[in-house]
Amino acid sequence: MPNHNLLQSHVILTSHPSQVFTRSLPINWGAKTAHQRGPVVASLTDLTARNAIGTHGGAYSVYRALATAAGGLKNEFKPDLTNTAPAEPIGPFPSWSDPEKIVALDPWGSNVFADFQEYFKKGYDIRPSIAVTKAHIHMPEIFDAIAKKRIKIDGKIVGKKGDVAVTKMAIEPVWHLPGIAKRFGIEEGDLRRGLFQHTGGMFPELVTRPDIKVFLPPIGGTTVYIFGPVAYIPDIKKQLTCRVHDECNGSDVFGSDICTCRPYLVHGIEEAIKTAQAGGSGLVVYFRKEGRALGEVTKFLVYNARKRHKDGDTAAEYFHRTECVAGVQDMRFQQIMPDVLHWLGIKRIDNFISMSDMKYDAIVNSGIQIVKRVPIPDDLVPDDAKVEMEAKKAAGYFTDEKVKNKGDLKKVKGRGLNE
């Protein structure tokens, strides 16, 4: 049986947007406290109370829609948030009240049941967009690093069985549209029209309700893994090692040797553990941006085009083949990547496990210092991935780390942060 309430909600949303958001709470993006900022209400149990476009769950919101349409989930369901508070407190930090530092996530999204209790009592359906928990990870490469004595078992960060203690966080995207537009140097109206048109008109409120400034896009989120004390992450007196990693399912999960993604991810984890064991902290930020945000189908099509080229799989053709299939070389657009670092209160990264100038420039231009860049060791680059490294070098994806590090260190010393 179709869910008539859901169908009616859909009609209201698309045809009569003036009937939605009538009981909305204001969102004062960049306010100093949760109360002053106000909650993001993107749930569908009460359309009049919504103050955001889209809904929670990122890409998984589509599965929730399917479950509801199929009758497996009640449209009026509200989650019981008892005991779901963060396993470790995060912030608030000064960056939370800077509307230009954070535009792609909700800094107050992790502890909504406590921060917005007064609104829950009034019946508002407010849901977290960030979750913080604790766990252990087990990786064969870490076992190997222990066996070769690059990593030690300390019983605290690395257990007797080689398990590694972590604090991990899941973050759904929450976009403040004026801030996103400014970050990309475009008009908000152009951003809204582009999002509306190129999602096939999926979110009409983007163009019918310019007064609603927050959008929850149906895209993949971000996962954060912290090694060592969470409180050390924003402390510039403690060493911080960080790897910012963009998803590569084929390599990260299945170990495909056509790229350096899993080796670089593992290298970042190992360096993060070492720094945590030396009295600092380590951080791995994992973004769901498969295939340079082009998607896995496009990525595999490009693999075929490269391998079947008449001149073979060459560095010269590496990115050209991508442009032939996708129209662009890369759609990750690192402009909004540093937001999660600002959410964590980071001011300085001592060891940045990346050779990417795009990532480096985005972080430094956002006001975070990078002391040293750490390249992937040559012996970790698979033979079939060497063409990728040569192509990236030729395309200017990264700068020689020795030259870059020398410049970084000079800038940091000049700001008195190299102590």
Side-chain angles (χ1 to χ4, degrees), residues 17-337:
S18 62
Q19 295 180 28
V20 189
F21 312 117
T22 57
R23 204 166 62 92
S24 293
L25 297 166
I27 297 177
N28 301 306
W29 201 267
K32 292 185 178 180
T33 68
H35 178 78
Q36 291 172 347
R37 206 293 303 275
V40 172
V41 183
S43 50
L44 298 170
T45 52
D46 182 355
L47 300 179
T48 66
R50 286 166 52 80
N51 60 9
I53 302 165
T55 187
H56 290 287
Y60 296 99
S61 63
V62 178
Y63 288 102
R64 187 174 66 240
L66 178 60
T68 305
L73 177 66
K74 294 181 179 180
N75 193 44
E76 64 273 13
F77 171 78
K78 293 183 180 181
D80 180 356
L81 298 176
T82 304
N83 294 326
T84 61
E88 286 276 352
I90 307 295
F93 299 106
S95 53
W96 291 21
S97 57
D98 185 336
E100 296 191 2
K101 291 291 187 188
I102 299 177
V103 300
L105 60 88
D106 177 7
W108 301 100
S110 67
N111 203 15
V112 298
F113 195 54
D115 289 340
F116 301 113
Q117 186 60 227
E118 61 183 292
Y119 298 111
F120 276 96
K121 292 178 180 178
K122 294 177 182 178
Y124 284 92
D125 183 5
I126 306 162
R127 306 192 184 186
S129 58
I130 300 174
V132 182
T133 191
K134 288 185 176 293
H136 292 82
I137 61 173
H138 302 256
M139 299 181 69
E141 293 92 341
I142 299 303
F143 299 152
D144 183 62
I146 293 171
K148 293 178 179 177
K149 301 187 184 305
R150 296 198 306 269
I151 291 176
K152 61 185 179 181
I153 291 176
D154 59 6
K156 185 176 181 181
I157 294 171
V158 180
K160 293 180 179 180
K161 296 182 179 181
D163 53 305
V164 182
V166 296
T167 301
K168 60 181 184 179
M169 308 162 184
I171 304 172
E172 293 177 2
V174 178
W175 289 4
H176 183 238
L177 292 171
I180 294 286
K182 186 172 183 179
R183 192 75 62 86
F184 282 87
I186 58 179
E187 294 295 324
E188 183 186 340
D190 293 335
L191 171 66
R192 285 173 173 269
R193 281 190 296 275
L195 291 171
F196 172 71
Q197 291 172 355
H198 296 285
T199 57
M202 186 182 294
F203 300 99
E205 295 88 357
L206 286 166
V207 292
T208 63
R209 292 301 300 263
D211 55 314
I212 305 299
K213 301 295 186 181
V214 173
F215 174 45
L216 280 65
I219 60 175
T222 306
T223 308
V224 175
Y225 282 79
I226 291 177
F227 304 82
V230 174
Y232 287 2
I233 293 290
D235 187 349
I236 62 172
K237 296 179 181 178
K238 304 290 185 179
Q239 285 274 315
L240 173 61
T241 291
C242 175
R243 166 69 182 164
V244 172
H245 191 90
D246 292 321
E247 178 183 24
C248 178
N249 184 62
S251 180
D252 296 343
V253 179
F254 292 99
S256 171
D257 64 354
I258 200 170
C259 63
T260 60
C261 294
R262 182 176 174 94
Y264 223 148
L265 175 62
V266 172
H267 179 55
I269 291 172
E270 181 174 331
E271 293 301 311
I273 293 170
K274 289 178 182 177
T275 302
Q277 290 186 323
S281 61
L283 172 69
V284 173
V285 183
Y286 193 93
F287 286 92
R288 295 309 192 285
K289 296 178 182 177
E290 178 64 61
R292 299 191 214 108
L294 302 172
E296 201 164 36
V297 169
T298 296
K299 183 167 73 171
F300 287 8
L301 293 174
V302 172
Y303 285 167
N304 287 344
R306 283 169 45 199
K307 296 289 185 179
R308 294 167 179 167
H309 191 265
K310 61 183 178 63
D311 295 326
D313 190 11
T314 64
E317 285 293 318
Y318 187 91
F319 289 114
H320 178 59
R321 290 297 99 198
T322 303
E323 286 185 287
C324 287
V325 176
V328 294
Q329 292 183 5
D330 197 320
M331 285 200 302
R332 284 175 292 180
F333 301 118
Q334 302 292 354
Q335 288 95 322
I336 59 178
M337 173 267 291

Side-chain angles (χ1 to χ4, degrees), residues 397-416:
Y397 258 59
F398 56 85
T399 303
D400 182 89
E401 65 276 3
K402 293 180 181 178
V403 175
K404 200 75 173 178
N405 287 339
K406 184 177 179 181
D408 297 343
L409 191 59
K410 183 177 179 181
K411 285 191 290 184
V412 172
K413 284 183 176 179
R415 294 178 68 91

